[in-house]
C-alpha cells in the first residue's frame, strides 16, 4: 500500500503478487496433506508387511515333535476325490491343555478329551468364556497345542500340511465376514471354481436362497463392505452357504445360528441332516433345541469337561447341563424336587 501511494507500484502488480502467493500457498498446503497421507499409508503398509512376514508354525514343528514323528510330511496337492468329498473324519482330542501365548493364570482348556466318530455330530455347550471356540480353533491350527494331542483319522494334526488340513474343513465362525462384491462372489469364496448351480444349491441348504431371490438382481446383488446391507441372520446364512459349498469332511459351526428364528433354524438342521449326513460336524450353540439331537454333547465349564454324552444321558448325570436346560425350559431336574412342577423353586 505504501509503494502504491508513492507511485512505485501499480494495483495490477499487487494483485499479481497476491495471485502468485496464493498459488504457492496452495501448493505448500497440498504437499503437507500428501505428507500426512504418506505417513498413514506407511504405518498401514508396515502392519501388512508384518503379517505377510510371519513364518508359519509348520517350519518349527521338528523342534518339539516326538521322535516317531520327526519325518516331516512331504508337500502334497489336495488328494480329495469326488467319492471321498463330504465323507466324515474321525477326531480324537486327548488331554488337551491350552493357554494363549503370554497369558497368565490357569489354562483356557484343561484336560479336554473326546472322540468323534466319522459322520457323527458333536455339540459343545457351555457358558461364555468356557473355552468352546478355543477348542474348535485348534482343529484348523489357528493356534498350536501346548499339551495333549489331536488326531485326525488317526494322524497327528501337526503332520498335515496346513493347506490340505484346512481344505478338508468348512468353518463358520461367530462373526460372519462378508466382502464387497456380489452375493455369488461371496459364496464362491468357499470354492473358487464353483458353478452357479452349485452356489444356488449351497444357498438352498443354508436357507439363503429364498431371501437372495427377493433381491432385484438376485445372486448378482452387490453386498456392501462387511455385509452392511444385510441383516444378521442373512449374513449368517450366506457364511454357512460358503462353507457348505466346499462339501467338507469336517464341518465346524461356531454359534452361527444365533440370529436365526427358530423356524428357519429348524429347516436348516433338517437340510444339514439330509445333505451332510456323512459329514462329521462340530456344533457350538447356546440353545438346547439346537443341540439336543446331536450324537453326543460336550458340556464345558471353566475350560474343563463338565459332562459328555447324549441329551438324555446328560439330563440324568450332569448338573451343569440340567441347570442350562432349566434356565431355558423352566423344567426342574433338582434331585430333591423330581416331582415339582416346571418353574418351581429348587
Amino acid at each position: 500500500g505504501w509503494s502504491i501511494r508513492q507511485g512505485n507500484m501499480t494495483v495490477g502488480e499487487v494483485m499479481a503478487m497476491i495471485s502468485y502467493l496464493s498459488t504457492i500457498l496452495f501448493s505448500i498446503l497440498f504437499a503437507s496433506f500428501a505428507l500426512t497421507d504418506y505417513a498413514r499409508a506407511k504405518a498401514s503398509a508396515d502392519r501388512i508387511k508384518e503379517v505377510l512376514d510371519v513364518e508359519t508354525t509348520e517350519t518349527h514343528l521338528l523342534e518339539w515333535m516326538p521322535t516317531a514323528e520327526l519325518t516331516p510330511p512331504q508337500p502334497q496337492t489336495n488328494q480329495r476325490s469326488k467319492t471321498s468329498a463330504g465323507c466324515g473324519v474321525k477326531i480324537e482330542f486327548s488331554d488337551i491343555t491350552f493357554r494363549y501365548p503370554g497369558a497368565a493364570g490357569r489354562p483356557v482348556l484343561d484336560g479336554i478329551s473326546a472322540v468323534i466318530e466319522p459322520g457323527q455330530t458333536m455339540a459343545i455347550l457351555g457358558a461364555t468364556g468356557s473355552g468352546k471356540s478355543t477348542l474348535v480353533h485348534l482343529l484348523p491350527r489357528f493356534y498350536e497345542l501346548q499339551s495333549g494331542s489331536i488326531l485326525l483319522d488317526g494322524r497327528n494334526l501337526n503332520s498335515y500340511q496346513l493347506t490340505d488340513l484346512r481344505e478338508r474343513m468348512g468353518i463358520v465362525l461367530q462373526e460372519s465376514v462378508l466382502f464387497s462384491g456380489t452375493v455369488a462372489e461371496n459364496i464362491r469364496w468357499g470354492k473358487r471354481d464353483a458353478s452357479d448351480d452349485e452356489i444356488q444349491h449351497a444357498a438352498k441348504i443354508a436357507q439363503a436362497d429364498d431371501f437372495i431371490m427377493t433381491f432385484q438382481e438376485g445372486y448378482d446383488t452387490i453386498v456392501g463392505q462387511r455385509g452392511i446391507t444385510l441383516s444378521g441372520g442373512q449374513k449368517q446364512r450366506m457364511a454357512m452357504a460358503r462353507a457348505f459349498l466346499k462339501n467338507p469332511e469336517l464341518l465346524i459351526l461356531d454359534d452361527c445360528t444365533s440370529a436365526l428364528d427358530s423356524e428357519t433354524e429348524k429347516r436348516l438342521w433338517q437340510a444339514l441332516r439330509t445333505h451332510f449326513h456323512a459329514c462329521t460336524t462340530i456344533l457350538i450353540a447356546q440353545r438346547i433345541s439346537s443341540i439336543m439331537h446331536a450324537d453326543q454333547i460336550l458340556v464345558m465349564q471353566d475350560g474343563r469337561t463338565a459332562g459328555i454324552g447324549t441329551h438324555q444321558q446328560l439330563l440324568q448325570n450332569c448338573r451343569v447341563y440340567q441347570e442350562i436346560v432349566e434356565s431355558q425350559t423352566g423344567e426342574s431336574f433338582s434331585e430333591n424336587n423330581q416331582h415339582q412342577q416346571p418353574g418351581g423353586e429348587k
Side-chain angles (χ1 to χ4, degrees):
W2 180 82
S3 296
I4 291 174
R5 291 186 63 181
Q6 296 296 319
N8 298 327
M9 184 179 290
T10 65
V11 175
E13 290 175 332
V14 173
M15 294 305 298
M17 181 185 68
I18 293 174
S19 297
Y20 293 147
L21 288 176
S22 298
T23 301
I24 294 172
L25 180 60
F26 178 79
S27 300
I28 294 174
L29 289 174
F30 182 81
S32 66
F33 291 145
L35 287 173
T36 303
D37 290 340
Y38 171 78
R40 291 178 179 176
K42 186 177 184 304
S44 300
D46 289 342
R47 291 186 179 184
I48 294 174
K49 186 175 183 299
E50 287 178 5
V51 175
L52 297 178
D53 288 344
V54 170
E55 294 184 10
T56 174
T57 50
E58 284 189 302
T59 58
H60 305 295
L61 287 179
L62 298 182
E63 298 177 4
W64 58 273
M65 286 177 66
T67 304
E69 301 179 0
L70 282 180
T71 303
Q74 297 299 319
Q76 299 176 352
T77 57
N78 185 16
Q79 297 182 348
R80 293 177 67 201
S81 65
K82 293 183 178 179
T83 56
S84 66
C87 297
V89 296
K90 181 177 181 179
I91 302 172
E92 300 173 69
F93 296 100
S94 179
D95 197 23
I96 299 298
T97 299
F98 175 81
R99 64 163 46 89
Y100 288 101
R106 63 178 185 80
V108 179
L109 299 174
D110 190 4
I112 302 294
S113 296
V115 177
I116 313 172
E117 297 294 337
Q120 280 192 343
T121 296
M122 185 178 82
I124 304 178
L125 188 68
T128 301
S130 58
K132 306 184 297 296
S133 295
T134 301
L135 180 63
V136 297
H137 287 176
L138 295 175
L139 287 168
R141 291 179 59 195
F142 293 157
Y143 305 100
E144 297 293 346
L145 281 175
Q146 283 100 24
S147 177
S149 64
I150 300 177
L151 302 183
L152 182 68
D153 282 340
R155 286 179 55 187
N156 194 299
L157 207 65
N158 298 300
S159 67
Y160 288 89
Q161 294 288 325
L162 276 178
T163 303
D164 294 336
L165 176 67
R166 293 172 182 174
E167 185 65 25
R168 305 177 70 175
M169 302 179 183
I171 307 173
V172 186
L173 301 179
Q174 290 175 327
E175 182 180 359
S176 304
V177 180
L178 302 179
F179 307 97
S180 296
T182 66
V183 171
E185 288 171 343
N186 270 277
I187 297 177
R188 188 177 278 113
W189 193 60
K191 182 181 177 184
R192 299 301 176 87
D193 59 347
S195 66
D196 292 341
D197 290 340
E198 289 178 307
I199 291 174
Q200 188 170 17
H201 179 67
K204 287 181 178 179
I205 299 175
Q207 309 303 305
D209 182 68
D210 291 341
F211 79 79
I212 292 174
M213 295 308 296
T214 63
F215 298 151
Q216 185 174 1
E217 298 182 18
Y219 284 83
D220 293 325
T221 301
I222 298 296
V223 177
Q225 182 69 23
R226 302 184 67 85
I228 193 172
T229 59
L230 304 175
S231 67
Q234 290 173 337
K235 288 191 286 186
Q236 287 185 336
R237 281 177 279 176
M238 280 185 57
M240 283 187 278
R242 177 191 294 166
F244 298 161
L245 185 63
K246 293 181 66 175
N247 196 21
E249 300 174 36
L250 172 62
L251 187 60
I252 300 174
L253 305 176
D254 187 357
D255 198 16
C256 60
T257 60
S258 57
L260 301 184
D261 61 86
S262 57
E263 184 60 31
T264 301
E265 186 179 18
K266 181 180 178 181
R267 294 198 306 269
L268 173 65
W269 297 138
Q270 289 175 344
L272 275 177
R273 285 192 289 269
T274 300
H275 296 279
F276 292 99
H277 59 88
C279 173
T280 303
T281 304
I282 298 180
L283 167 66
I284 296 177
Q286 300 295 336
R287 290 188 288 227
I288 293 295
S289 60
S290 301
I291 56 94
M292 61 186 302
H293 298 297
D295 295 300
Q296 59 178 323
I297 303 170
L298 172 64
V299 184
M300 297 182 63
Q301 185 178 39
D302 298 328
R304 298 183 177 91
T305 300
I308 186 169
T310 64
H311 173 70
Q312 293 299 329
Q313 290 172 341
L314 293 173
L315 287 179
Q316 297 295 324
N317 55 36
C318 180
R319 184 56 193 157
V320 175
Y321 189 76
Q322 292 172 359
E323 291 174 351
I324 295 174
V325 175
E326 288 174 3
S327 67
Q328 296 187 24
T329 66
E331 185 178 357
S332 176
F333 295 91
S334 175
E335 295 180 1
N336 298 325
N337 298 278
Q338 289 292 333
H339 304 291
Q340 191 176 17
Q341 295 296 323
E345 296 179 355
K346 299 178 186 178

